[in-house]
Amino acid sequence: SDLAFHLAIASATNNPRFPQFLTMFGRDAIPRDRLAAQGQEFIADGYLSQIQSEHRQIAEAIAARDAGAAGAAMRAHLQGSQQRYRRMLHRSA
């Protein structure tokens, strides 16, 4: 469902590069999917709550047709995702 959420948003941008990028990487583009496939227990409640909160903010801004808020929410999600992914890499090193 995480990848489907991202694909729906990517498609809604009307920029074909976004869905192409996600389709090319598939589930590997979503760290949570990779962690679950590897059986890692990093997926704690706090982690999932944070992701769901970020997704909710994005979806609510889109539903409100507030492009500025949607863009800000997506940037915050991508920056947060980058930070979380870096922490995961450092922990596994």
Side-chain angles (χ1 to χ4, degrees):
S1 63
D2 200 4
L3 181 58
F5 176 78
H6 285 268
L7 279 171
I9 292 171
S11 295
T13 67
N14 292 319
N15 180 336
R17 298 294 182 212
F18 289 127
Q20 286 172 353
F21 171 81
L22 287 174
T23 301
M24 181 176 64
F25 284 101
R27 294 182 71 139
D28 287 339
I30 309 296
R32 180 171 74 174
D33 285 347
R34 181 182 296 157
L35 290 171
Q38 293 173 357
Q40 293 189 23
E41 296 301 321
F42 180 76
I43 306 175
D45 288 339
Y47 175 83
L48 293 177
S49 294
Q50 181 64 38
I51 299 296
Q52 290 169 344
S53 174
E54 291 172 8
H55 284 180
R56 188 172 4 312
Q57 290 172 6
I58 295 164
E60 288 174 355
I62 291 170
R65 298 183 179 274
D66 186 339
M74 183 56 82
R75 277 189 296 282
H77 177 55
L78 292 173
Q79 289 170 345
S81 295
Q82 184 180 39
Q83 291 169 354
R84 286 185 290 272
Y85 194 63
R86 283 184 176 151
R87 283 193 303 266
M88 284 186 278
L89 290 174
H90 289 296
R91 287 180 184 156
S92 65

